């Protein structure tokens, strides 16, 4: 089977395509003590931000055009950025952020919320495109980091803890020439980078949660790694389509596709191990995420609109999306 079947699927809108300028549119005492302990543990893991959760309403439908996924530490939810707003998977249930149906692009979860680009909901009063927006209250309000009405950033990486950024600018705007740029002060200022050695059409960018000099890129030529803030990149795969990239504190997780999908964990010394994936047919991982408090708790989203979560680093997977339909 040819490996390049996946790229047209991604280019059709699941990962890198423009969504257009349309707006709008995740007993005994011992038993009693054990149950109480479990509840306390789950509460500690989710660290629920009740103010953000007040924005959520139950969701039981289909989401399309997902352009990012990640765990937000403040409220413990797994967020999906879709063509019709944010959908949240938490404790086995689905919700969506009410009255905030922006078409999110370049979405990145952070330790306090998320950063995204895209197109605004028609009722929001925001200019189109969004430029770069940050929300630290689950999507109720947004801080403008610039370029509203100018640029929709599809390829954008944000450091989970430092909130520094690395973006691809498709055409000149008021502050940037076309090309790759980074911000070492969480969006206050920008500088262009050479991105030497980075080849192919880039579909996804990722930045280390603490070291903003460490950046990964997935392209149709493979997976590339930079350790100098995007000035230069080195290819770390051979003969495979790069489909996904995500940094934890101690490793880079990357997705590839050749004869079949693969997800690899590469520690910062360069040692690699393949993560077992659920059964897939002509499908590949386009987003991956790791829970910030549990390194064995992973989530993946695929080009065919499926999503799975695992509590044991790939030993067992539970499907939570089937072709975009919540499970």
């Amino acid at each position: 089977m040819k490996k390049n079947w996946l790229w047209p699927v991604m280019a059709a809108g699941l990962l890198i395509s423009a969504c257009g300028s349309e707006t709008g549119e995740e007993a005994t005492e011992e038993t009693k003590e054990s149950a109480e302990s479990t509840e306390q543990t789950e509460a500690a893991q989710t660290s629920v931000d009740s103010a953000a959760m007040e924005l959520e309403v139950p969701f039981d439908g289909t989401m399309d055009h997902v352009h990012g996924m990640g765990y937000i530490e403040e409220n413990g939810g797994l967020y999906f950025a879709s063509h019709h707003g944010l959908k949240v998977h938490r404790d086995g249930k689905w919700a969506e952020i009410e009255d905030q149906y922006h078409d999110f692009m370049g979405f990145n979860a952070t330790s306090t919320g998320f950063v995204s680009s895209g197109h605004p909901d028609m009722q929001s009063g925001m200019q189109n495109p969004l430029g770069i927006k940050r929300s630290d209250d689950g999507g109720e309000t947004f801080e403008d980091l610039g370029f509203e009405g100018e640029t929709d950033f599809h390829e954008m990486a944000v450091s989970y803890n430092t909130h520094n950024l690395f973006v691809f600018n498709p055409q000149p705007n008021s502050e940037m020439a076309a090309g790759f740029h980074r911000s070492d002060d969480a969006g206050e200022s920008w500088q262009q980078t050479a991105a030497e050695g980075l080849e192919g059409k880039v579909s996804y960018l990722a930045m280390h949660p603490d070291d903003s000099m460490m950046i990964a890129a997935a392209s149709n030529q493979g997976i590339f790694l930079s350790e100098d803030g995007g000035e230069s990149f080195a290819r770390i795969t051979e003969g495979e389509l790069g489909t996904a990239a995500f940094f934890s504190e101690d490793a880079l997780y990357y997705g590839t596709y050749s004869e079949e999908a693969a997800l690899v964990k590469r520690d910062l010394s360069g040692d690699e191990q393949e993560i077992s994936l659920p059964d897939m047919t002509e499908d590949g991982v386009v987003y991956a995420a790791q829970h910030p408090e549990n390194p064995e708790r992973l989530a993946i989203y695929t080009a065919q609109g499926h999503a799975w979560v695992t509590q044991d680093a790939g030993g067992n997977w539970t499907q939570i999306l089937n072709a975009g339909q919540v499970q």
Side-chain angles (χ1 to χ4, degrees):
M1 184 177 296
K2 295 182 179 180
K3 68 180 181 179
N4 286 333
W5 75 270
L6 183 60
W7 194 257
V9 174
M10 296 160 69
L14 286 173
L15 184 58
I16 62 170
S17 72
C19 288
S21 61
E22 293 183 3
T23 57
E25 359 155 92
E26 208 154 301
T28 65
E29 188 63 28
E30 181 179 3
T31 301
K32 180 179 178 181
E33 291 177 358
S34 176
E36 290 176 348
S37 176
T38 299
E39 290 175 0
Q40 291 170 357
T41 300
E42 291 177 349
Q45 288 176 343
T46 55
S47 302
V48 173
D49 180 343
S50 58
M53 288 185 65
E54 288 178 0
L55 304 173
E56 299 174 9
V57 295
F59 176 69
D60 183 16
T62 300
M63 71 175 82
D64 59 5
H65 291 193
V66 170
H67 295 284
M69 177 190 74
Y71 288 97
I72 294 179
E73 191 169 14
E74 281 298 308
N75 59 27
L78 177 61
Y79 280 62
F80 292 78
S82 81
H83 189 60
H84 302 282
L86 295 175
K87 318 303 181 188
V88 188
H89 187 262
R90 180 188 295 105
D91 299 331
K93 299 179 181 180
W94 282 95
E96 65 180 356
I97 307 302
E98 189 175 27
D99 298 328
Q100 292 282 11
Y101 298 113
H102 308 297
D103 178 10
F104 289 105
M105 304 289 294
F107 175 91
N108 281 254
T110 71
S111 59
T112 58
F114 64 87
V115 176
S116 190
S117 190
H119 305 282
D121 179 3
M122 292 180 63
Q123 309 303 318
S124 70
M126 296 181 183
Q127 296 184 63
N128 184 31
L130 289 173
I132 303 177
K133 294 287 190 292
R134 177 168 57 219
S135 178
D136 291 335
D137 54 14
E140 182 175 16
T141 62
F142 293 88
E143 177 186 357
D144 182 24
L145 300 185
F147 314 109
E148 184 176 4
E150 293 187 82
T151 306
D152 175 16
F153 295 91
H154 290 192
E155 293 81 41
M156 178 166 62
V158 183
S159 171
Y160 194 80
N161 293 321
T162 71
H163 303 177
N164 292 336
L165 300 97
F166 184 78
V167 304
F168 175 72
N169 183 35
Q171 58 187 19
N173 58 36
S174 59
E175 295 185 42
M176 297 176 176
F180 292 94
H181 298 255
R182 74 169 185 259
S183 173
D184 297 328
D185 50 16
E188 292 293 326
S189 62
W190 296 88
Q191 63 185 73
Q192 189 160 17
T193 66
E196 294 181 357
L198 181 52
E199 301 175 0
K201 171 61 179 176
V202 174
S203 60
Y204 196 73
L205 298 168
M207 181 180 282
H208 189 275
D210 298 304
D211 184 355
S212 302
M213 292 294 101
M214 190 169 292
I215 298 165
S219 89
N220 59 351
Q221 298 298 311
I223 301 295
F224 296 80
L225 180 63
S226 173
E227 298 183 53
D228 58 7
E231 291 297 334
S232 63
F233 285 82
R235 189 199 310 266
I236 61 174
T237 62
E238 290 294 338
E240 298 166 315
L241 176 69
T243 64
F246 169 80
F247 278 105
S248 66
E249 290 186 357
D250 60 0
L252 167 65
Y253 291 81
Y254 66 81
T256 62
Y257 191 92
S258 182
E259 296 302 317
E260 60 184 17
L263 180 64
V264 175
K265 178 183 179 181
R266 176 189 176 96
D267 69 31
L268 299 188
S269 67
D271 293 333
E272 296 187 346
Q273 69 177 85
E274 191 165 338
I275 304 296
S276 296
L277 289 173
D279 290 337
M280 296 182 184
T281 301
E282 292 195 350
D283 202 2
V285 177
V286 292
Y287 297 115
Q290 181 190 64
H291 193 279
E293 296 178 354
N294 184 349
E296 293 198 340
R297 186 174 169 186
L298 306 175
I300 58 171
Y301 179 83
T302 77
Q304 299 288 3
H306 307 310
W308 283 269
V309 293
T310 177
Q311 305 292 332
D312 54 10
N316 298 278
W317 291 92
T318 299
Q319 190 167 15
I320 60 173
L321 274 178
N322 186 354
Q325 175 65 48
V326 301
Q327 303 292 292

